[in-house]
Amino acid sequence: MAMSHLLVLVLALLSALALPSSAASGSTLTQSGALTGDQTLASPGDTFRLGLFPACNRSRWFLGIWFTVSPDTVVWVANRDRPLTSPSGVVEVSGGGALVLRGGASNNDTVWSSSNSSAAAVVVAGAVAELRDTGNLVLTDAAGAVLWQSFEHPTNTFLPEMRVGRSLRTAAEWSLSSWRDADDPSPGDFRYVMDARGAPELHVWSRGRKTYRTGPWNGVRFSGIPEMTTFEDMFEFRFTATADEVSYMFRNRDSSPMSRVLLNESGVMQRMVWDRASGSWSNFWSGPRDQCDSYGRCGAFGVCNVVGAVVCGCIAGFAPRLAAEWYMRNTSSGCARRTPLQCGGGDGFYALRGVKLPDTHSSAVDAGATLQECARRCLADCSCTAYSAADIRGGGSGCIQWFGDLVDTRFVDGGQDLYVRLAKSELDAPKNTRKFAAVIALVIAGFLLLLLSLAFLMWRKARRSKKVSTMLDEAAELMSGECPTYPLGTIRTATNGFCKENIIGRGGFGVVYKGQLPDGQQVAVKKLSAESTAAQGLNNEFLNEVVLIAKLQHRNLVRLLGCCVHCSERMLVYEYMSNKSLDAFIFDERRRASLGWKTRLGIILGVARGVLYLHRDSRLNIIHRDLKAANVLLDADMVAKISDFGIARLFSSSADRQETITRTIIGTYGYMAPEYAMDGTVSFMQDVYSFGVLLLEIVSGLKNQRSFNLIAHAWELWEGGRSHDLVDPAIRGGCTAGELGQAVTCVQVALLCVQECPGQRPPMADVIPMLLQQKAPARPQRPVVCTPTRSHPAAAAAAALAAQAEITGGNELTITSHEGR
Ligand SMILES: *[C@@H]1O[C@H](CO)[C@@H](O)[C@H](O)[C@H]1NC(C)=O
Ligand SMILES: *[C@@H]1O[C@H](CO)[C@@H](O)[C@H](O)[C@H]1NC(C)=O
Ligand SMILES: *[C@@H]1O[C@H](CO)[C@@H](O)[C@H](O)[C@H]1NC(C)=O
Ligand SMILES: *[C@@H]1O[C@H](CO)[C@@H](O)[C@H](O)[C@H]1NC(C)=O
Ligand SMILES: *[C@@H]1O[C@H](CO)[C@@H](O)[C@H](O)[C@H]1NC(C)=O
């Protein structure tokens, strides 16, 4: 394999040296030829290559076009939705004159075709596909007529000479759509499209919502991108608006470096320029640039100003529609007219200078009119709310009229003038400035008062019931409904590219990274280990499970915020716990003393409540199966939060869940109930056993392990009436007699929980009252581990597991082993 790669490399090098212009398989593909495996088509000047490229760690293959100097920069993809699973595809020009990619399961499926007409179509002889130096893949017939071209089917990249827009004659649309992920070319959430209605402009859309607009073309540039003027020495921009077509394209000027415009996975348009010196792409410009570019940031009749102390304002003559919300910085409701329009002769215009023109979707354009004519027309039409020049050249000409709300207006350097219609009385404002100022001062004072009283009310409410923040959290949760899936890019950025420095934990289920989401929230990202995730197609089931588990909410469970599924990788995103895990306290010489008895009892009760919720009160009746000190996290207030719950469900298929005997051994040595270690019997009692061990560990600060049998030790002390000797020496001195009594009860409850026979152990629902009322009703049976004999099956199983743990490098590790099916 390596040898053949080397050979290909050497051959490629040789051919590149010998015949620089006619690379690998030339630039054309005829009906008699085919492109297979790692063969590529090179454009005549070898600027672009066409061939199969891998994604997702070489598990998926796509037919695409990329820059020869930068093979990772794919500019077009054919089979975005139907990847091949190996590079064994064949590209050919069919008898019907279509470019097709064959491969897939039967190795001869048509995975992608440039034409979706049925196979029984006409025969087209002499069709040829050619990759041109512009990056356009063009399919022509024998007469040279274009049958199909990739430039008319863009993916996420806008290249020089390509058009974005639409044909008004054929209704064809040339738009971009983002990749789903940096590693997944399937269409993502964002689209870059031309809105040809009103004054045409380009929009970015995400799931049916407009997120960004360039503003209309003003004869020189887009109204919202004044910087374009400064690019003119490098690019030539061309905007076409005819009866046939509305489109936009750009060209590189001679000697300017290669460039491309990318709609990236976060919905940002990035203009990239190739830097020959460093051999990399540099980001030349990107949009949206700031929060004022975010569509409709300040609502109707609002105007956005990034350099102001307050981002949103109202256009002169308008005031916030919902004042209380506006002053709380919720500006989505926008502004309303202070004085109604008089229509007739009672109105005039206010010149709002230096703006990106508002959304032109429902505007009317007349390129022939003068600006004076435009003003006259707007006054004559009672529904007209504003006008502006359509072309800024030569002092401004042409006419755009707006009729409804003015949405998405912002100040920009080099912006245009927008003439907003107001009642004459508003325009005479200077006379009333003093009165105005007084009114404004009064209004502001009023709102301050309102705010203060609101804050007071909230504070009182917070004191009475829950914290306001939790109430808001819950509201947000209810609104969002399902658990979110995060794009891999977000997670990667959050964890600094999964860098080693961010690792905060490891276990059999995977590695845990600390991360920070773009909104500043700290999270813990658990990257699940590969063993259960190999199977494809289980993604939906996985996601369903995550949604179910994410809906579980309890004070003593770590919140699951969402997940991320990418190829075979699965990640869970949890809230981050600043105090890490319980084992970092109780087993640490220096920190154990900081965990006094009251805190420990609080943690014990918290864990018990969390487990009870999982067992009984949650809709899912989850058995945790890996309860241990490392899986109990502590928040800033030392409240215990159980983590990793439900992971067992994610790992096992639904069929497994119905059985009481599982084929998947999940657990940690020292916490595993004997019946489970022996034959894999799963029941709620397995968690009760682990809880018992954990309880002893929290009381004593000692760890149950092969070299030290904590259960036997506790039994010995309890039987001898010296349970209080088990209490962690680091805190024993500071305990009152009452507290020592509580500890003694805890030891007795723990010994009840670790009894050999599952039926003898108390259910979690009984454990909590025992702890709260400090009354353990029964005398525990001698635990089985006290009589270790090699012949005892449980001990033998435990010994086997111990051996396994030794191999995997320590008994702290979660053991996850799948037995053969
Ligand atoms: C890619 O595959 C290799 C070999 O199968 C594996 O070692 C590596 O961890 C994988 N990388 C990722 C990111 O999945
Ligand atoms: C593959 O499919 C094409 C069209 O369906 C057919 O012409 C060709 O013979 C098939 N090749 C093989 C090897 O089955
Ligand atoms: C190809 O598919 C598209 C989208 O499904 C459809 O609109 C179009 O009519 C189809 N064209 C042909 C030639 O079948
Ligand atoms: C998209 O472009 C913006 C601006 O250059 C950048 O900050 C962001 O990280 C990019 N997103 C992705 C997914 O690359
Ligand atoms: C902002 O105000 C709108 C309109 O009243 C309301 O529907 C929305 O819920 C508010 N948003 C927030 C985050 O409070």
Side-chain angles (χ1 to χ4, degrees), residues 372-657:
Q372 290 79 0
E373 171 67 12
C374 197
R376 209 186 50 70
R377 283 189 203 169
C378 190
L379 269 189
D381 184 339
C382 285
S383 60
C384 175
T385 49
Y387 76 92
S388 176
D391 192 329
I392 60 169
R393 287 174 296 187
S397 65
C399 176
I400 307 179
Q401 291 181 71
W402 283 264
F403 297 100
D405 291 351
L406 301 177
V407 180
D408 203 36
T409 316
R410 66 165 297 178
F411 290 112
V412 278
D413 289 338
Q416 288 170 244
D417 294 346
L418 176 72
Y419 300 93
V420 183
R421 180 184 194 146
L422 294 180
K424 275 233 171 78
S425 59
E426 289 286 349
L427 289 167
D428 298 338
K431 270 189 261 164
N432 304 333
T433 30
R434 278 178 128 187
K435 217 165 149 190
F436 242 14
V439 168
I440 287 177
L442 264 177
V443 166
I444 289 178
F447 280 115
L448 280 179
L449 213 71
L450 192 94
L451 273 183
L452 274 176
S453 43
L454 209 79
F456 178 66
L457 277 176
M458 281 164 95
W459 176 72
R460 265 192 28 196
K461 194 151 187 185
R463 268 175 43 122
R464 282 219 202 111
S465 54
K466 298 173 189 174
K467 284 187 191 135
V468 175
S469 66
T470 28
M471 282 162 47
L472 289 180
D473 282 354
E474 278 168 17
E477 175 67 23
L478 282 178
M479 278 192 298
S480 68
E482 304 288 86
C483 93
T485 61
Y486 295 89
L488 180 64
T490 305
I491 302 297
R492 198 177 275 148
T493 311
T495 57
N496 219 343
F498 299 109
C499 81
K500 278 208 181 78
E501 283 68 39
N502 282 33
I503 293 182
I504 50 175
R506 272 174 208 281
F509 292 126
V511 183
V512 187
Y513 299 83
K514 182 179 174 178
Q516 188 166 24
L517 295 180
D519 64 5
Q521 183 179 16
Q522 292 198 318
V523 291
V525 176
K526 172 157 268 186
K527 219 171 160 185
L528 296 181
S529 55
E531 50 202 349
S532 73
T533 60
Q536 275 191 2
L538 279 174
N539 281 351
N540 279 342
E541 196 186 338
F542 177 81
L543 287 176
N544 288 341
E545 272 306 314
V546 172
V547 169
L548 286 178
I549 292 168
K551 282 182 178 163
L552 297 185
Q553 278 188 51
H554 188 270
R555 177 181 152 84
N556 299 112
L557 300 183
V558 174
R559 275 284 304 282
L560 178 60
L561 301 173
C563 63
C564 170
V565 175
H566 180 75
C567 303
S568 60
E569 302 236 43
R570 290 156 190 205
M571 283 158 258
L572 299 174
V573 181
Y574 294 97
E575 61 179 339
Y576 177 74
M577 291 291 134
S578 55
N579 268 322
K580 313 258 164 59
S581 55
L582 179 61
D583 59 344
F585 277 91
I586 55 174
F587 303 140
D588 185 275
E589 279 316 318
R590 277 174 302 139
R591 298 174 81 191
R592 63 200 314 161
S594 67
L595 219 54
W597 175 250
K598 273 205 183 65
T599 315
R600 291 191 194 211
L601 189 60
I603 291 170
I604 291 167
L605 281 167
V607 174
R609 291 191 180 112
V611 176
L612 176 61
Y613 176 82
L614 287 177
H615 283 185
R616 199 187 66 180
D617 299 332
S618 78
R619 283 156 299 169
L620 303 179
N621 304 116
I622 287 177
I623 305 173
H624 189 296
R625 297 167 74 177
D626 197 16
L627 202 57
K628 57 179 171 179
N631 278 341
V632 174
L633 306 187
L634 299 170
D635 74 2
D637 300 326
M638 300 305 270
V639 172
K641 302 209 178 229
I642 299 172
S643 75
D644 270 4
F645 54 91
I647 287 216
R649 281 176 71 104
L650 297 178
F651 271 82
S652 52
S653 74
S654 49
D656 264 358
R657 234 173 277 141

Side-chain angles (χ1 to χ4, degrees), residues 196-466:
R197 281 167 295 191
E201 54 182 17
L202 286 157
H203 293 161
V204 175
W205 286 79
S206 165
R207 302 183 195 160
R209 232 166 35 83
K210 217 179 277 184
T211 60
Y212 169 64
R213 34 185 290 278
T214 58
W217 184 260
N218 61 18
V220 182
R221 50 181 153 82
F222 289 109
S223 166
I225 317 180
E227 305 92 308
M228 282 173 79
T229 322
T230 64
F231 306 163
E232 273 175 344
D233 55 338
M234 291 178 76
F235 312 110
E236 177 193 340
F237 302 107
R238 182 172 300 178
F239 192 84
T240 308
T242 64
D244 280 351
E245 173 179 325
V246 176
S247 69
Y248 163 64
M249 64 169 279
F250 70 98
R251 281 206 177 104
N252 276 11
R253 299 215 185 261
D254 289 343
S255 82
S256 58
M258 294 193 299
S259 69
R260 64 193 167 104
V261 176
L262 168 75
L263 172 61
N264 82 12
E265 296 80 51
S266 350
V268 175
M269 300 301 308
Q270 284 179 288
R271 180 175 282 277
M272 314 287 277
V273 170
W274 180 253
D275 180 356
R276 255 181 233 126
S278 70
S280 65
W281 293 96
S282 60
N283 199 351
F284 196 74
W285 177 86
S286 59
R289 293 158 296 182
D290 53 45
Q291 50 171 326
C292 282
D293 270 348
S294 152
Y295 182 78
R297 175 70 176 74
C298 298
F301 298 109
V303 53
C304 194
N305 183 8
V306 263
V307 293
V310 176
V311 174
C312 286
C314 289
I315 296 176
F318 291 81
R321 189 183 297 275
L322 299 171
E325 266 163 24
W326 184 277
Y327 287 100
M328 293 296 279
R329 301 286 182 265
N330 177 359
T331 52
S332 58
S333 53
C335 306
R337 211 173 273 287
R338 280 198 302 235
T339 313
L341 290 178
Q342 311 297 305
C343 205
D347 299 335
F349 292 100
Y350 168 80
L352 185 60
R353 306 217 178 261
V355 295
K356 165 179 169 180
L357 296 178
D359 196 338
T360 52
H361 179 73
S362 51
S363 63
V365 187
D366 180 356
T370 64
L371 211 51
Q372 290 79 0
E373 171 67 12
C374 197
R376 209 186 50 70
R377 283 189 203 169
C378 190
L379 269 189
D381 184 339
C382 285
S383 60
C384 175
T385 49
Y387 76 92
S388 176
D391 192 329
I392 60 169
R393 287 174 296 187
S397 65
C399 176
I400 307 179
Q401 291 181 71
W402 283 264
F403 297 100
D405 291 351
L406 301 177
V407 180
D408 203 36
T409 316
R410 66 165 297 178
F411 290 112
V412 278
D413 289 338
Q416 288 170 244
D417 294 346
L418 176 72
Y419 300 93
V420 183
R421 180 184 194 146
L422 294 180
K424 275 233 171 78
S425 59
E426 289 286 349
L427 289 167
D428 298 338
K431 270 189 261 164
N432 304 333
T433 30
R434 278 178 128 187
K435 217 165 149 190
F436 242 14
V439 168
I440 287 177
L442 264 177
V443 166
I444 289 178
F447 280 115
L448 280 179
L449 213 71
L450 192 94
L451 273 183
L452 274 176
S453 43
L454 209 79
F456 178 66
L457 277 176
M458 281 164 95
W459 176 72
R460 265 192 28 196
K461 194 151 187 185
R463 268 175 43 122
R464 282 219 202 111
S465 54
K466 298 173 189 174

